Amino acid sequence: EAGVAQSPRYKIIEKRQSVAFWCNPISGHATLYWYQQILGQGPKLLIQFQNNGVVDDSQLPKDRFSAERLKGVDSTLKIQPAKLEDSAVYLCASKALLDMNTEAFFGQGTRLTVV
Amino acid sequence: AQSVAQPEDQVNVAEGNPLTVKCTYSVSGNPYLFWYVQYPNRGLQFLLKYITGDNLVKGSYGFEAEFNKSQTSFHLKKPSALVSDSALYFCAVRDVIGGNMLTFGGGTRLMVKP
């Protein structure tokens, strides 16, 4: 079974530039998450999708971050404009079911450096 | 609001010795608890979970975790550590009140020395 695919693996941009990350979840997984992991900290949820609908985006900085999952499969996360404090690893995860029991599977992440 | 605390930034243990990585949680309802491991430049890998039932949960790579409701803890354990167990470990919680959101602790770095 293929895992969660993310690209690019690494990205370096200057502040105020824009950047986009892509995620392809495990086939058939309806739930998709984007997490931000700042160095030395645990992952923090940015947004959760169920199919193509947003379930929770309460922690997404909507003035600069946006995410979509138009066809309910792959997803993109965008930052525009980027700030220095956005430097982090952005992790995508997917889960087969909406229930509470099922664990999420994570991709390798995209490491963003804003200079 | 749900939260997770991992009180130790780093745990050092000699190879062959038992290891414990501590985790305490706070939730409004019944907790669903998870442990993940992260190797350098890798995503998080699922180790084990507690949903209900037996308080001792067994997972991947010989790891196990003990759920203690009275102490609101879910400590990760392994009887005999390997150098290859050296990694970053994250405890996470989900509860019905908090929806499907998985909240992570800050992580504990495990260093196993030969």
Side-chain angles (χ1 to χ4, degrees):
Chain A
E1 179 183 75
V4 177
Q6 290 188 247
S7 66
R9 286 295 311 279
Y10 306 93
K11 190 74 177 177
I12 301 175
I13 62 171
E14 296 182 349
K15 59 183 179 184
R16 292 187 290 272
Q17 285 186 323
S18 62
V19 65
F21 313 127
W22 175 81
C23 172
N24 190 11
I26 293 173
S27 178
H29 281 196
T31 304
L32 185 147
Y33 307 88
W34 282 102
Y35 282 84
Q36 180 193 57
Q37 186 179 17
I38 293 173
L39 186 64
Q41 299 181 18
K44 185 187 81 171
L45 180 69
L46 292 174
I47 190 168
Q48 175 188 338
F49 291 94
Q50 181 67 17
N51 296 312
N52 61 349
V54 175
V55 174
D56 187 338
D57 65 355
S58 58
Q59 299 186 78
L60 186 74
K62 298 181 185 64
D63 58 333
R64 298 185 300 106
F65 287 64
S66 64
E68 60 184 16
R69 194 185 184 198
L70 294 175
K71 296 182 179 180
V73 180
D74 53 351
S75 175
T76 56
L77 175 70
K78 297 179 181 178
I79 308 175
Q80 181 179 8
K83 294 185 175 181
L84 295 177
E85 58 261 36
D86 298 332
S87 295
V89 175
Y90 291 85
L91 295 166
C92 180
S94 69
K95 190 160 79 73
L97 302 172
L98 190 57
D99 66 14
M100 304 295 286
N101 303 354
T102 312
E103 61 272 20
F105 293 87
F106 284 78
Q108 290 186 293
T110 296
R111 183 178 298 276
L112 174 68
T113 302
V114 183
V115 299
Chain B
Q2 58 195 45
S3 65
V4 178
Q6 294 183 242
E8 304 154 315
D9 289 336
Q10 183 162 316
V11 169
N12 298 310
V13 64
E15 187 175 31
N17 283 0
L19 68 88
T20 299
V21 182
K22 296 179 180 178
C23 169
T24 59
Y25 65 90
S26 174
V27 297
S28 301
N30 291 323
Y32 296 77
L33 295 154
F34 302 80
W35 275 102
Y36 284 84
V37 60
Q38 188 174 38
Y39 297 99
N41 298 315
R42 303 281 294 276
L44 280 76
Q45 296 179 34
F46 169 75
L47 274 181
L48 52 79
K49 64 183 177 183
Y50 171 81
I51 304 302
T52 187
D54 194 348
N55 289 345
L56 185 63
V57 178
K58 295 189 182 297
S60 307
Y61 313 120
F63 284 92
E64 57 190 28
E66 186 169 11
F67 171 66
N68 187 316
K69 187 173 183 177
S70 63
Q71 297 185 4
T72 61
S73 66
F74 189 55
H75 300 330
L76 182 70
K77 300 181 179 183
K78 187 173 183 181
S80 179
L82 299 173
V83 173
S84 57
D85 292 330
S86 299
L88 200 51
Y89 290 81
F90 291 96
C91 181
V93 69
R94 180 189 288 155
D95 77 349
V96 176
I97 308 298
N100 227 331
M101 184 172 69
L102 194 60
T103 300
F104 285 86
T108 298
R109 183 167 300 282
L110 174 65
M111 297 290 291
V112 182
K113 298 182 179 179

